[in-house]
Amino acid sequence: MTDTEKSDEYVRSPNAFTDRITADGSSGWPVEPGRYRLVVSLACPWASRALVVRRLLGLESALSLAVTDPIQDERSWRFTLDPDDRDPVLGIRFLSEAYLARDPDYDGGVSVPVIVDVPSGKLVTNDYPEITLNLETEWTALHRPGAPDLYPEHLRAEIDAINEDVFRDVNNGVYRAGFAESQPAYEKAVYPLFARLDELERRLQRQRYLVGDTITEADIRLFTTLVRFDAVYHGHFKCNIRKLAEMPALWAYARDLYQTPGFGDTVDFDHIKRHYYQVHRTINPTGIVAVGPDLRQWLTPHGRETLGGRPFGDGTPPGPPPADETVTPLEVAGSTAA
Protein backbone atom coordinates (compact mmCIF):
# COMPACT_ATOMS: atom_id res chain seq x y z
CA MET A 1 0.00 0.00 0.00
CA THR A 2 1.28 3.46 -0.86
CA ASP A 3 1.71 6.33 1.58
CA THR A 4 -1.14 8.15 -0.17
CA GLU A 5 -3.52 5.28 0.48
CA LYS A 6 -2.44 5.07 4.11
CA SER A 7 -3.28 8.73 4.63
CA ASP A 8 -6.83 8.02 3.45
CA GLU A 9 -7.45 5.66 6.36
CA TYR A 10 -9.31 6.82 9.45
CA VAL A 11 -7.12 6.77 12.58
CA ARG A 12 -8.75 7.24 15.97
CA SER A 13 -7.01 9.75 18.22
CA PRO A 14 -5.64 8.46 21.53
CA ASN A 15 -7.39 9.44 24.75
CA ALA A 16 -5.63 12.45 26.26
CA PHE A 17 -6.60 12.02 29.93
CA THR A 18 -6.27 8.56 31.41
CA ASP A 19 -6.44 9.03 35.19
CA ARG A 20 -8.31 6.43 37.19
CA ILE A 21 -10.67 6.86 40.12
CA THR A 22 -9.64 4.30 42.73
CA ALA A 23 -11.17 2.82 45.86
CA ASP A 24 -8.08 3.58 47.94
CA GLY A 25 -7.50 7.03 46.44
CA SER A 26 -3.94 6.17 45.44
CA SER A 27 -4.52 7.72 42.02
CA GLY A 28 -5.32 11.07 43.57
CA TRP A 29 -8.97 10.60 42.64
CA PRO A 30 -10.75 8.61 45.38
CA VAL A 31 -14.12 6.97 44.83
CA GLU A 32 -16.67 9.21 46.56
CA PRO A 33 -20.44 9.23 46.09
CA GLY A 34 -21.63 12.47 44.50
CA ARG A 35 -18.16 13.85 43.76
CA TYR A 36 -18.02 13.05 40.06
CA ARG A 37 -20.25 13.62 37.04
CA LEU A 38 -20.43 11.34 34.02
CA VAL A 39 -20.90 13.31 30.79
CA VAL A 40 -22.25 11.42 27.80
CA SER A 41 -23.93 11.80 24.46
CA LEU A 42 -26.75 9.33 23.96
CA ALA A 43 -25.67 9.17 20.32
CA CYS A 44 -22.16 7.94 21.06
CA PRO A 45 -21.45 4.19 21.29
CA TRP A 46 -18.40 4.72 23.49
CA ALA A 47 -20.50 6.76 25.94
CA SER A 48 -23.32 4.23 25.78
CA ARG A 49 -21.02 1.63 27.30
CA ALA A 50 -20.69 3.74 30.43
CA LEU A 51 -24.45 4.32 30.54
CA VAL A 52 -25.20 0.59 30.46
CA VAL A 53 -22.60 -0.24 33.10
CA ARG A 54 -23.78 2.57 35.37
CA ARG A 55 -27.36 1.26 35.12
CA LEU A 56 -26.50 -2.40 35.63
CA LEU A 57 -24.36 -1.63 38.68
CA GLY A 58 -26.90 0.79 40.16
CA LEU A 59 -24.54 3.75 40.34
CA GLU A 60 -27.12 6.38 39.40
CA SER A 61 -27.19 8.01 42.83
CA ALA A 62 -23.41 7.82 43.29
CA LEU A 63 -22.39 9.13 39.86
CA SER A 64 -24.58 11.88 38.43
CA LEU A 65 -25.26 12.13 34.71
CA ALA A 66 -25.01 14.97 32.19
CA VAL A 67 -26.33 14.49 28.65
CA THR A 68 -25.13 16.66 25.80
CA ASP A 69 -27.06 17.78 22.75
CA PRO A 70 -26.64 15.17 19.99
CA ILE A 71 -25.87 17.95 17.53
CA GLN A 72 -22.41 19.44 17.92
CA ASP A 73 -21.24 22.80 16.65
CA GLU A 74 -17.69 23.99 15.98
CA ARG A 75 -17.07 23.93 19.76
CA SER A 76 -18.06 20.25 19.94
CA TRP A 77 -20.34 18.88 22.68
CA ARG A 78 -22.70 21.42 24.24
CA PHE A 79 -25.31 21.45 27.02
CA THR A 80 -28.18 23.00 25.07
CA LEU A 81 -30.65 20.43 26.41
CA ASP A 82 -30.42 22.08 29.85
CA PRO A 83 -31.97 25.35 31.07
CA ASP A 84 -29.92 28.38 30.03
CA ASP A 85 -27.81 26.04 27.87
CA ARG A 86 -25.66 25.15 30.88
CA ASP A 87 -25.10 21.93 32.74
CA PRO A 88 -26.91 22.52 36.05
CA VAL A 89 -24.20 20.86 38.15
CA LEU A 90 -20.98 21.90 36.42
CA GLY A 91 -22.28 25.30 35.33
CA ILE A 92 -20.60 25.09 31.93
CA ARG A 93 -22.01 25.57 28.42
CA PHE A 94 -19.50 23.39 26.55
CA LEU A 95 -17.71 20.21 27.57
CA SER A 96 -14.46 21.76 26.35
CA GLU A 97 -14.57 23.96 29.46
CA ALA A 98 -13.91 20.90 31.65
CA TYR A 99 -10.99 19.94 29.40
CA LEU A 100 -9.50 23.42 29.71
CA ALA A 101 -10.03 23.45 33.47
CA ARG A 102 -7.83 20.36 33.58
CA ASP A 103 -5.26 21.69 31.08
CA PRO A 104 -5.50 25.33 29.97
CA ASP A 105 -3.17 24.58 27.05
CA TYR A 106 -5.16 21.61 25.74
CA ASP A 107 -5.92 21.94 22.03
CA GLY A 108 -6.99 18.39 21.14
CA GLY A 109 -10.36 16.84 20.44
CA VAL A 110 -13.29 16.94 22.86
CA SER A 111 -14.76 13.47 23.26
CA VAL A 112 -17.36 11.66 25.35
CA PRO A 113 -17.70 9.91 27.70
CA VAL A 114 -15.80 11.77 30.37
CA ILE A 115 -15.87 11.88 34.13
CA VAL A 116 -15.54 15.35 35.66
CA ASP A 117 -14.61 16.23 39.22
CA VAL A 118 -17.52 18.41 40.36
CA PRO A 119 -15.73 20.48 43.08
CA SER A 120 -12.91 21.58 40.77
CA GLY A 121 -14.71 21.36 37.43
CA LYS A 122 -11.70 19.51 36.05
CA LEU A 123 -11.94 16.57 33.70
CA VAL A 124 -10.61 13.39 35.32
CA THR A 125 -10.65 10.97 32.39
CA ASN A 126 -11.87 10.54 28.82
CA ASP A 127 -10.38 7.04 28.60
CA TYR A 128 -13.60 5.27 27.57
CA PRO A 129 -12.26 1.66 27.67
CA GLU A 130 -11.05 2.13 31.23
CA ILE A 131 -14.06 4.09 32.48
CA THR A 132 -16.31 1.02 32.45
CA LEU A 133 -13.64 -1.31 33.83
CA ASN A 134 -13.00 1.23 36.58
CA LEU A 135 -16.69 1.38 37.50
CA GLU A 136 -16.78 -2.41 37.63
CA THR A 137 -13.66 -2.97 39.73
CA GLU A 138 -13.01 0.16 41.83
CA TRP A 139 -16.53 1.37 42.61
CA THR A 140 -17.72 -1.93 44.12
CA ALA A 141 -18.51 -0.42 47.53
CA LEU A 142 -21.15 1.73 45.82
CA HIS A 143 -22.68 -0.99 43.64
CA ARG A 144 -26.35 -1.75 44.28
CA PRO A 145 -27.28 -4.96 46.12
CA GLY A 146 -27.52 -7.68 43.50
CA ALA A 147 -25.26 -5.91 41.00
CA PRO A 148 -23.84 -8.39 38.47
CA ASP A 149 -20.14 -9.07 38.12
CA LEU A 150 -19.51 -7.72 34.62
CA TYR A 151 -15.76 -8.39 34.66
CA PRO A 152 -15.28 -11.70 36.53
CA GLU A 153 -11.67 -12.23 37.42
CA HIS A 154 -11.52 -15.80 36.10
CA LEU A 155 -12.82 -14.71 32.69
CA ARG A 156 -10.85 -11.49 32.23
CA ALA A 157 -8.25 -12.89 29.85
CA GLU A 158 -10.95 -14.20 27.50
CA ILE A 159 -13.00 -11.00 27.81
CA ASP A 160 -9.94 -8.87 27.06
CA ALA A 161 -9.05 -10.96 24.00
CA ILE A 162 -12.55 -10.71 22.54
CA ASN A 163 -12.73 -7.01 23.32
CA GLU A 164 -9.50 -6.42 21.41
CA ASP A 165 -10.81 -8.19 18.30
CA VAL A 166 -14.23 -6.55 18.51
CA PHE A 167 -12.74 -3.09 18.98
CA ARG A 168 -10.36 -3.40 16.04
CA ASP A 169 -12.76 -4.92 13.53
CA VAL A 170 -16.26 -3.92 14.72
CA ASN A 171 -16.43 -1.00 17.19
CA ASN A 172 -13.75 0.99 15.38
CA GLY A 173 -14.14 -0.89 12.11
CA VAL A 174 -17.43 0.83 11.28
CA TYR A 175 -15.72 4.20 11.70
CA ARG A 176 -12.75 3.16 9.61
CA ALA A 177 -15.19 2.21 6.85
CA GLY A 178 -17.40 5.27 7.25
CA PHE A 179 -14.63 7.86 7.35
CA ALA A 180 -12.33 6.24 4.80
CA GLU A 181 -11.28 8.65 2.06
CA SER A 182 -10.39 6.16 -0.64
CA GLN A 183 -11.79 2.91 -2.00
CA PRO A 184 -8.79 0.86 -0.80
CA ALA A 185 -9.04 2.33 2.71
CA TYR A 186 -12.77 1.62 2.82
CA GLU A 187 -12.37 -1.98 1.65
CA LYS A 188 -9.52 -2.53 4.10
CA ALA A 189 -12.00 -1.82 6.87
CA VAL A 190 -15.31 -3.19 5.60
CA TYR A 191 -14.17 -6.72 4.74
CA PRO A 192 -12.56 -7.42 8.16
CA LEU A 193 -15.66 -5.93 9.79
CA PHE A 194 -17.93 -8.51 8.18
CA ALA A 195 -15.42 -11.31 8.62
CA ARG A 196 -15.48 -10.60 12.37
CA LEU A 197 -19.28 -10.37 12.39
CA ASP A 198 -19.44 -13.75 10.66
CA GLU A 199 -17.15 -15.21 13.33
CA LEU A 200 -19.31 -13.72 16.08
CA GLU A 201 -22.40 -15.09 14.34
CA ARG A 202 -20.98 -18.59 14.53
CA ARG A 203 -19.96 -18.16 18.17
CA LEU A 204 -23.39 -16.90 19.19
CA GLN A 205 -25.20 -19.73 17.45
CA ARG A 206 -24.03 -22.01 20.26
CA GLN A 207 -24.00 -19.74 23.32
CA ARG A 208 -26.20 -16.93 24.62
CA TYR A 209 -23.42 -14.53 25.63
CA LEU A 210 -19.92 -13.92 24.37
CA VAL A 211 -18.02 -15.18 27.43
CA GLY A 212 -19.42 -17.60 30.00
CA ASP A 213 -23.14 -17.85 30.69
CA THR A 214 -23.78 -14.30 31.95
CA ILE A 215 -23.60 -10.75 30.60
CA THR A 216 -20.08 -9.34 30.76
CA GLU A 217 -18.16 -6.27 29.64
CA ALA A 218 -17.67 -8.02 26.29
CA ASP A 219 -21.40 -8.07 25.56
CA ILE A 220 -21.79 -4.41 26.47
CA ARG A 221 -19.00 -3.36 24.10
CA LEU A 222 -20.43 -5.32 21.19
CA PHE A 223 -24.04 -4.29 21.86
CA THR A 224 -23.43 -0.55 21.54
CA THR A 225 -22.22 -1.03 17.97
CA LEU A 226 -24.87 -3.58 17.01
CA VAL A 227 -27.74 -1.40 18.21
CA ARG A 228 -26.59 1.36 15.83
CA PHE A 229 -25.80 -0.94 12.92
CA ASP A 230 -28.91 -0.96 10.75
CA ALA A 231 -30.04 2.51 11.85
CA VAL A 232 -26.84 4.31 10.86
CA TYR A 233 -23.78 2.18 10.07
CA HIS A 234 -25.34 0.09 7.29
CA GLY A 235 -26.25 3.08 5.12
CA HIS A 236 -24.47 6.13 6.49
CA PHE A 237 -21.11 4.38 6.95
CA LYS A 238 -21.53 2.09 3.91
CA CYS A 239 -21.29 -1.06 6.07
CA ASN A 240 -23.81 -2.69 3.75
CA ILE A 241 -22.60 -6.17 2.84
CA ARG A 242 -25.37 -7.39 5.14
CA LYS A 243 -27.78 -5.87 7.61
CA LEU A 244 -27.70 -6.94 11.23
CA ALA A 245 -31.25 -8.21 10.66
CA GLU A 246 -29.80 -10.59 8.03
CA MET A 247 -27.47 -12.26 10.55
CA PRO A 248 -29.86 -14.45 12.57
CA ALA A 249 -27.79 -15.19 15.67
CA LEU A 250 -26.38 -11.67 16.02
CA TRP A 251 -29.78 -10.09 15.41
CA ALA A 252 -31.45 -12.30 18.03
CA TYR A 253 -28.54 -11.70 20.44
CA ALA A 254 -28.82 -7.94 20.00
CA ARG A 255 -32.58 -8.03 20.61
CA ASP A 256 -32.06 -10.22 23.67
CA LEU A 257 -29.74 -7.59 25.16
CA TYR A 258 -31.92 -4.69 24.07
CA GLN A 259 -34.86 -6.22 25.93
CA THR A 260 -32.73 -6.79 29.05
CA PRO A 261 -33.12 -4.07 31.72
CA GLY A 262 -30.18 -1.69 31.58
CA PHE A 263 -29.62 -1.96 27.82
CA GLY A 264 -32.56 -0.81 25.71
CA ASP A 265 -33.66 1.67 28.35
CA THR A 266 -30.41 3.60 27.76
CA VAL A 267 -30.74 3.68 23.95
CA ASP A 268 -32.14 6.82 22.31
CA PHE A 269 -32.51 6.22 18.57
CA ASP A 270 -33.62 9.81 18.05
CA HIS A 271 -30.30 11.13 19.35
CA ILE A 272 -28.38 8.44 17.47
CA LYS A 273 -29.93 9.11 14.07
CA ARG A 274 -29.91 12.89 14.29
CA HIS A 275 -26.27 12.96 15.38
CA TYR A 276 -24.86 10.70 12.70
CA TYR A 277 -26.90 12.03 9.79
CA GLN A 278 -26.80 15.73 10.71
CA VAL A 279 -23.28 16.15 12.12
CA HIS A 280 -21.24 14.14 9.59
CA ARG A 281 -21.77 16.57 6.71
CA THR A 282 -18.73 15.31 4.79
CA ILE A 283 -20.60 12.00 4.45
CA ASN A 284 -24.19 13.31 4.33
CA PRO A 285 -24.04 16.92 3.04
CA THR A 286 -27.80 17.45 3.03
CA GLY A 287 -28.26 16.44 6.67
CA ILE A 288 -31.36 14.45 5.77
CA VAL A 289 -32.15 11.86 8.47
CA ALA A 290 -33.17 8.44 7.17
CA VAL A 291 -36.61 7.41 8.43
CA GLY A 292 -35.91 3.66 8.54
CA PRO A 293 -35.53 0.97 9.61
CA ASP A 294 -38.64 -0.04 11.55
CA LEU A 295 -37.29 0.21 15.09
CA ARG A 296 -40.24 -1.70 16.55
CA GLN A 297 -38.49 -4.89 15.40
CA TRP A 298 -36.20 -4.48 18.43
CA LEU A 299 -39.14 -5.54 20.60
CA THR A 300 -39.91 -8.79 18.76
CA PRO A 301 -39.25 -12.19 20.40
CA HIS A 302 -35.65 -13.38 20.16
CA GLY A 303 -35.79 -16.97 21.43
CA ARG A 304 -32.33 -16.83 23.00
CA GLU A 305 -33.59 -18.28 26.29
CA THR A 306 -33.32 -21.74 24.73
CA LEU A 307 -29.52 -21.42 24.93
CA GLY A 308 -29.69 -21.15 28.71
CA GLY A 309 -27.52 -18.64 30.49
CA ARG A 310 -28.30 -16.35 33.40
CA PRO A 311 -28.23 -12.70 32.34
CA PHE A 312 -27.19 -11.34 35.75
CA GLY A 313 -25.55 -14.43 37.16
CA ASP A 314 -26.16 -14.55 40.90
CA GLY A 315 -27.34 -10.95 40.81
CA THR A 316 -30.62 -9.29 39.91
CA PRO A 317 -31.88 -6.95 37.19
CA PRO A 318 -31.63 -3.21 37.82
CA GLY A 319 -34.76 -1.28 38.65
CA PRO A 320 -36.37 1.15 36.24
CA PRO A 321 -34.29 4.16 35.15
CA PRO A 322 -34.68 7.44 37.01
CA ALA A 323 -37.54 9.53 35.66
CA ASP A 324 -35.17 12.18 34.31
CA GLU A 325 -33.13 9.58 32.41
CA THR A 326 -35.88 8.01 30.33
CA VAL A 327 -35.19 7.84 26.59
CA THR A 328 -37.26 8.62 23.50
CA PRO A 329 -39.83 5.85 22.86
CA LEU A 330 -39.25 3.72 19.77
CA GLU A 331 -42.41 5.00 18.13
CA VAL A 332 -41.06 8.56 18.19
CA ALA A 333 -37.50 7.58 17.28
CA GLY A 334 -38.74 5.71 14.21
CA SER A 335 -40.96 8.48 12.90
CA THR A 336 -40.22 10.90 10.08
CA ALA A 337 -39.39 13.48 12.72
CA ALA A 338 -36.50 11.42 14.12
Side-chain angles (χ1 to χ4, degrees):
M1 177 173 287
T2 67
D3 290 339
T4 300
E5 290 171 340
K6 286 182 181 178
S7 69
D8 291 340
E9 296 178 15
Y10 171 73
V11 179
R12 183 168 296 279
S13 299
N15 299 311
F17 301 98
T18 58
D19 288 3
R20 301 180 69 217
I21 300 170
T22 54
D24 63 6
S26 59
S27 63
W29 302 106
V31 171
E32 293 180 14
R35 175 171 174 174
Y36 304 99
R37 191 154 174 83
L38 174 66
V39 182
V40 304
S41 163
L42 300 180
C44 172
W46 319 104
S48 290
R49 298 175 175 184
L51 275 175
V52 173
V53 169
R54 175 177 171 270
R55 282 273 294 120
L56 294 179
L57 299 180
L59 290 171
E60 292 97 329
S61 62
L63 178 63
S64 67
L65 181 68
V67 177
T68 65
D69 193 309
I71 307 302
Q72 299 159 286
D73 65 15
E74 67 277 5
R75 293 158 292 188
S76 195
W77 301 106
R78 51 192 184 152
F79 294 103
T80 49
L81 302 181
D82 296 303
D84 301 321
D85 297 344
R86 290 184 182 274
D87 178 79
V89 173
L90 299 174
I92 58 177
R93 296 179 62 210
F94 300 95
L95 181 55
S96 57
E97 296 175 57
Y99 278 75
L100 292 174
R102 171 68 183 269
D103 179 2
D105 297 321
Y106 180 70
D107 61 358
V110 177
S111 65
V112 287
V114 302
I115 294 181
V116 179
D117 177 50
V118 173
S120 68
K122 295 180 180 180
L123 183 143
V124 177
T125 177
N126 70 337
D127 192 7
Y128 60 87
E130 288 299 322
I131 285 175
T132 52
L133 297 179
N134 208 223
L135 294 177
E136 291 158 1
T137 59
E138 297 291 330
W139 290 62
T140 53
L142 300 178
H143 290 180
R144 66 178 174 87
D149 186 353
L150 301 174
Y151 195 48
E153 193 162 358
H154 69 288
L155 295 176
R156 289 180 185 178
E158 187 177 0
I159 291 171
D160 291 346
I162 287 183
N163 285 346
E164 182 178 352
D165 290 340
V166 167
F167 170 80
R168 182 187 61 247
D169 297 332
V170 181
N171 300 146
N172 199 45
V174 295
Y175 283 88
R176 291 178 58 233
F179 290 125
E181 296 183 359
S182 70
Q183 189 71 31
Y186 162 70
E187 293 184 10
K188 186 177 179 180
V190 77
Y191 287 126
L193 163 63
F194 279 90
R196 182 64 59 192
L197 290 175
D198 287 342
E199 182 177 313
L200 292 167
E201 172 79 5
R202 291 189 291 271
R203 183 184 187 94
L204 290 167
Q205 286 172 349
R206 60 181 186 269
Q207 59 193 69
R208 189 171 180 182
Y209 303 111
L210 284 176
V211 181
D213 66 349
T214 65
I215 292 167
T216 68
E217 173 80 10
D219 299 296
I220 296 166
R221 294 193 183 194
L222 179 57
F223 171 79
T224 58
T225 296
L226 295 183
V227 78
R228 290 162 173 78
F229 202 89
D230 287 1
V232 290
Y233 300 146
H234 179 269
H236 184 59
F237 276 179
K238 305 178 185 69
C239 299
N240 61 356
I241 294 178
R242 281 179 299 284
K243 295 178 180 178
L244 175 63
E246 295 168 344
M247 295 177 269
L250 274 167
W251 175 221
Y253 163 82
R255 298 199 319 279
D256 184 6
L257 291 176
Y258 183 87
Q259 295 169 32
T260 298
F263 284 83
D265 52 30
T266 68
V267 175
D268 193 315
F269 283 107
D270 173 58
H271 279 223
I272 290 168
K273 292 171 69 175
R274 286 195 291 121
H275 170 76
Y276 279 92
Y277 285 107
Q278 294 184 339
V279 171
H280 302 155
R281 291 302 179 103
T282 57
I283 299 175
N284 187 36
T286 63
I288 294 172
V289 179
V291 298
D294 183 356
L295 299 174
R296 293 170 298 181
Q297 297 302 311
W298 282 96
L299 301 178
T300 59
H302 52 76
R304 297 284 292 178
E305 304 93 338
T306 60
L307 293 172
R310 302 174 300 145
F312 302 101
D314 294 328
T316 58
D324 60 351
E325 294 184 18
T326 56
V327 297
T328 306
L330 287 183
E331 295 79 7
V332 175
S335 73
T336 56

